[in-house]
Amino acid sequence: MTLKWQAFLTFFFILILITPLRLYAGERRAMTLEDVMHFHHIHNHSLQINFDGSWVAYAAWPDRGDGYGVLVSADGTTEYTIERAESPLFSAGGRWALFIQQPPFADRERGDTGNPGAVLTDTSDGDQVVFEDVSTARFSQSRELLFVHHTFVEDTLLTDEENEKLKEAGTTLTIRDLEGAVERNLDFVERWTADSLASTLVFTKKDTLESHNGLYHFDLHDLSAD
């Protein structure tokens, strides 16, 4: 890591730490335990740098409450904020960033935990795409592909028996070509993996009728193929 980057990252750590202290000093009142719990800190080793060093991503969260994710350009001129975001990743080419988005703290306090989502952000213009009910989400290692495996969500219009079958089945895997803006959904995917060149996807399928269960492969160069 260069001295330039060391100075840059040190600045952000200091900024996160001293901002709450400056606010409370301005208010001239005694600091309480509740105040301390609302301090934001860099979350779970979340600091990430894209491959050419042009963007930094991190998540800042308090001990209690909602945090946020941040994308900031290396020259400090551009910054994007993503609410309730954590665990940032950069795509292979470094243009896109992905954050996991947690449900609101108020909902979690009421026991309505909900499912996490994922937020895809284009660093060129700040445009964001939100994926709901996410189990896992990651980029391919060598191409600008995004894989989002969704989690089971109970359908209130179905019977308990039908929902139980859905719960035991696979779920939707979304594949998005970030450069071609093409997206493909594969239903009832249980497990999946892609090769290091992101050419082929191999997945197991488990549907509710067990009529199409098995091992499948899919050409990742043609997302529109049947």
Side-chain angles (χ1 to χ4, degrees):
M1 183 180 294
T2 65
L3 292 176
K4 177 182 177 181
W5 269 113
Q6 287 178 344
F8 178 77
L9 297 179
T10 300
F11 167 77
F12 272 100
F13 277 111
I14 293 174
L15 182 64
I16 291 293
L17 290 172
I18 68 173
T19 298
L21 297 178
R22 292 177 61 189
L23 291 175
Y24 289 118
E27 294 176 6
R28 297 184 180 278
R29 63 178 177 82
M31 189 180 301
T32 67
L33 178 59
E34 184 177 357
D35 293 334
V36 174
M37 293 177 68
H38 283 85
F39 284 2
H40 287 69
H41 55 85
I42 301 297
H43 189 244
N44 290 345
H45 310 288
S46 67
L47 194 62
Q48 298 288 327
I49 304 172
N50 71 343
F51 87 102
D52 65 358
S54 59
W55 287 87
V56 173
Y58 66 92
W61 281 71
D63 290 330
R64 182 181 178 83
D66 290 323
Y68 54 89
V70 176
L71 273 172
V72 59
S73 59
D75 59 11
T77 60
T78 307
E79 180 176 306
Y80 305 119
T81 301
I82 302 92
E83 63 179 7
R84 306 191 314 278
E86 62 182 18
S87 306
L89 297 171
F90 281 106
S91 63
R95 174 178 168 179
W96 284 273
L98 182 73
F99 288 83
I100 297 300
Q101 187 172 58
Q102 295 297 336
F105 177 76
D107 292 350
R108 300 197 303 271
E109 282 283 277
R110 293 194 299 266
D112 181 12
T113 55
N115 295 315
V119 181
L120 176 69
T121 303
D122 186 343
T123 61
S124 68
D125 57 12
D127 185 51
Q128 296 180 5
V129 178
V130 178
F131 299 88
E132 297 182 346
D133 302 313
V134 171
S135 174
T136 59
R138 65 177 177 86
F139 294 111
S140 67
Q141 298 177 7
S142 56
R143 291 176 53 203
E144 299 293 69
L145 291 180
L146 173 65
F147 300 92
V148 179
H149 199 184
H150 297 271
T151 192
F152 165 75
V153 178
E154 184 174 333
D155 189 335
T156 57
L157 298 178
L158 299 179
T159 65
D160 290 343
E161 182 179 357
E162 289 171 326
N163 271 306
E164 192 61 31
K165 287 183 178 181
L166 279 175
K167 187 176 181 179
E168 295 176 357
T171 54
T172 300
L173 175 66
T174 298
I175 310 167
R176 187 181 183 96
D177 183 340
L178 302 174
E179 293 180 327
V182 179
E183 188 172 289
R184 177 66 180 268
N185 291 321
L186 301 177
D187 296 328
F188 299 116
V189 173
E190 187 175 28
R191 294 180 179 85
W192 64 276
T193 187
D195 67 314
S196 60
L197 298 178
S199 298
T200 304
L201 175 79
V202 176
F203 63 96
T204 58
K205 189 171 184 177
K206 184 178 181 182
D207 64 20
T208 53
L209 299 177
E210 300 186 358
S211 56
H212 295 91
N213 291 0
L215 181 66
Y216 294 79
H217 66 87
F218 183 79
D219 183 0
L220 291 173
H221 289 290
D222 186 7
L223 297 186
S224 61
D226 294 332

